[in-house]
Amino acid sequence: MLDRLPLLIGLRYVRAKRRNHFISFISLTSMLGLTLGVAVLILVLSVMNGFDRELRERVLGMVPHTRIEVPAGLDEWRPLAERLTQREHVVGAAPYIQQQGMFSVGGRNQGALVTGVEPDWEGRVSIVDEHMTRGSLDDLRAGEWNIVLGSMLARQLGVAVGDRVTLLVPEASITPAGVFPRLKRFTVSGIFSVGADLDASLAYAHLDDMQTLARMGDAVGGLRLELDDLFRAGSVTRAIIDDLGPGYRGLDWTYTRGNLFQAIQMEKRMIALLLTVIIAVAAFNIVSTLVMVVTDKHADIAILRTLGATPRSIMGIFMVQGLAIGVIGILIGVALGVLLALTVSDIIAFVESTFGIHFLDAGVYFISELPSQLLWSDVGNIVAAAFALTFLSTLYPAWRAARVQPAEVLRYE
């Protein structure tokens, strides 16, 4: 019975109605603070995880993990592609030619990066064919001068499938009549949408057509490589360049998108730290609650001591009371946070459709939808941190309660 005494009395104090309503108010405030802190931290980390996931799956699904280039052009690319796919961590390779240019149609002009690809090979390194809203990459056929545009790029140009656009490239053609910019008319054969900024700046044409436009003959600009682990891109690229020798150049995704990924990771850590401070503030409100409870219960503590309760049992009573307040707040916060993390994307979509507003513009942000990915490891870490802070907040008040001297308290009773 004595072993169960701290648990029974501590839980009884939690349920009991107090004469001092101010103590009850602070207890409720502490509990609500923990609830909100835990819930918001779960929600925010889930959203940051969602951004991280979308960056990997969408943006880095379109952007090559690494590129192997030859400044003068790569002639025998097929044997090299087969050779590189035999390397560890390399799961796919595809040729490409990239050309900065400007599309013009009906007085509208828009710059974009045009990538010449082999449709049969592109699926090995890109997810673009999975996000085609109109047409297919297979519609890109050599000599037909077809082109696939991003959805936002097509919208800005005001074109649809079947329309013709003019591509101007920053290279001059010298003719007897003078120097003219090089240009070519393409037919829009498809439109893709990945919900990212690439929809406004990227287009695909057939590799043979881009070779003709760039006057590269049978050469390509280089090879795009898909890796089984994008975080090995740097080491894998360096190893490939070392093996291939001079004349080759390697560029991995960290050169083009690394800053964005690092920014997301930094924001996630900083936001987690700041919200943990909010949880700490709420947890340490329990200190003031228990200190006032100890002061209010001096007589009860003295009577328990005279009945044989040890200082350790008295300390356990108030630790149980503080932990009960914290655990209730944490559990409610976990339930609320998990619910919000699982539904926040639908909630934001409903708000956007109802009020006609758009929170994320793909022209400004790298995605156009608010993503969320709940990781139970994050939930476990949050619960552990909140419980640890709650436990620490109970130590000082419980220690003060254990030091109460019965003779001093009961002298005037």
Side-chain angles (χ1 to χ4, degrees):
M1 181 65 183
L2 290 178
D3 292 337
R4 299 174 56 196
L5 183 68
L7 180 62
L8 294 175
I9 298 179
L11 295 177
R12 179 70 179 84
Y13 276 172
V14 174
R15 300 193 305 269
K17 293 183 178 179
R18 297 189 178 90
R19 296 185 300 271
N20 191 334
H21 295 290
F22 184 64
I23 298 177
S24 299
F25 173 75
I26 294 181
S27 299
L28 180 61
T29 302
S30 303
M31 190 181 300
L32 290 177
L34 281 170
T35 297
L36 292 177
V38 169
V40 171
L41 186 52
I42 291 175
L43 174 61
V44 171
L45 289 186
S46 296
V47 171
M48 298 304 294
N49 290 333
F51 276 103
D52 187 9
R53 179 195 62 197
E54 295 302 312
L55 174 62
R56 297 188 193 188
E57 295 183 356
R58 292 195 189 187
V59 178
L60 294 182
M62 298 286 290
V63 175
H65 291 174
T66 189
R67 295 181 295 177
I68 305 300
E69 299 179 343
V70 177
L74 181 62
D75 292 315
E76 298 296 328
W77 61 268
R78 292 179 186 272
L80 180 59
E82 296 297 335
R83 173 183 165 190
L84 292 179
T85 53
Q86 301 301 317
R87 295 183 64 95
E88 186 179 9
H89 304 300
V90 178
V91 296
Y96 75 95
I97 294 176
Q98 283 187 337
Q99 181 75 62
Q100 287 284 356
M102 177 176 291
F103 288 101
S104 178
V105 56
R108 298 182 180 181
N109 300 310
Q110 189 66 38
L113 180 64
V114 184
T115 303
V117 299
E118 277 282 358
D120 295 337
W121 290 66
E122 187 63 14
R124 306 179 186 184
V125 298
S126 174
I127 61 172
V128 61
D129 209 26
E130 302 172 11
H131 292 271
M132 296 293 298
T133 59
R134 298 288 303 276
S136 169
L137 276 186
D138 293 333
D139 296 329
L140 299 178
R141 301 182 183 91
E144 295 188 5
W145 298 96
N146 291 333
I147 197 164
V148 172
L149 303 179
S151 57
M152 290 188 65
L153 179 58
R155 192 180 311 122
Q156 292 165 350
L157 293 172
V159 297
V161 173
D163 294 337
R164 294 178 66 84
V165 296
T166 300
L167 174 64
L168 293 85
V169 296
E171 294 181 8
S173 297
I174 301 176
T175 68
V179 179
F180 292 93
R182 191 177 305 170
L183 53 86
K184 182 64 181 179
R185 289 182 65 82
F186 286 84
T187 300
V188 179
S189 62
I191 295 175
F192 69 86
S193 176
V194 293
D197 59 344
L198 298 174
D199 292 341
S201 60
L202 194 59
Y204 290 93
H206 196 279
L207 184 68
D208 290 353
D209 294 340
M210 292 303 296
Q211 285 174 329
T212 301
L213 185 63
R215 298 178 179 176
M216 295 184 64
D218 294 330
V220 300
L223 293 175
R224 304 166 68 192
L225 303 182
E226 177 85 1
L227 308 180
D228 57 3
D229 184 357
L230 61 91
F231 294 106
R232 295 181 179 269
S235 59
V236 171
T237 303
R238 287 190 296 270
I240 291 175
I241 297 302
D242 290 341
D243 290 346
L244 294 178
Y248 291 88
R249 181 177 62 178
L251 295 173
D252 62 75
W253 66 272
T254 59
Y255 285 92
T256 56
R257 298 285 172 170
N259 291 338
L260 177 60
F261 183 81
Q262 293 171 2
I264 291 177
Q265 295 299 311
M266 179 62 71
E267 288 176 3
K268 181 179 177 180
R269 288 192 290 267
M270 294 306 298
I271 290 175
L273 178 61
L274 293 176
L275 293 179
T276 301
V277 172
I278 295 176
I279 295 177
V281 171
F284 282 103
N285 278 340
I286 297 175
V287 175
S288 57
T289 300
L290 292 182
V291 166
M292 286 188 287
V293 169
V294 169
T295 303
D296 190 53
K297 300 294 185 181
H298 266 191
D300 294 353
I301 295 171
I303 292 172
L304 288 172
R305 288 295 306 277
T306 59
L307 292 175
T310 64
R312 182 176 180 179
S313 297
I314 298 299
M315 190 173 180
I317 290 171
F318 291 95
M319 289 182 67
V320 167
Q321 183 180 357
L323 288 174
I325 295 172
V327 168
I328 293 172
I330 292 170
L331 292 178
I332 297 175
V334 168
L336 181 60
V338 169
L339 178 63
L340 289 174
L342 294 176
T343 59
V344 64
S345 299
D346 296 331
I347 293 173
I348 295 299
F350 173 77
V351 172
E352 289 180 339
S353 62
T354 302
F355 297 99
I357 58 178
H358 204 65
F359 290 102
L360 296 176
D361 183 357
V364 178
Y365 304 97
F366 72 93
I367 60 173
S368 58
E369 300 173 354
L370 185 68
S372 178
Q373 182 184 21
L374 178 66
L375 296 181
W376 290 108
S377 58
D378 285 344
V379 176
N381 292 334
I382 293 169
V383 170
F387 184 82
L389 291 171
T390 302
F391 176 79
L392 292 174
S393 68
T394 65
L395 294 179
Y396 173 71
W399 177 75
R400 283 194 55 179
R403 295 191 62 192
V404 171
Q405 299 297 324
E408 295 293 330
V409 175
L410 298 177
R411 177 181 298 175
Y412 303 103
E413 293 292 332

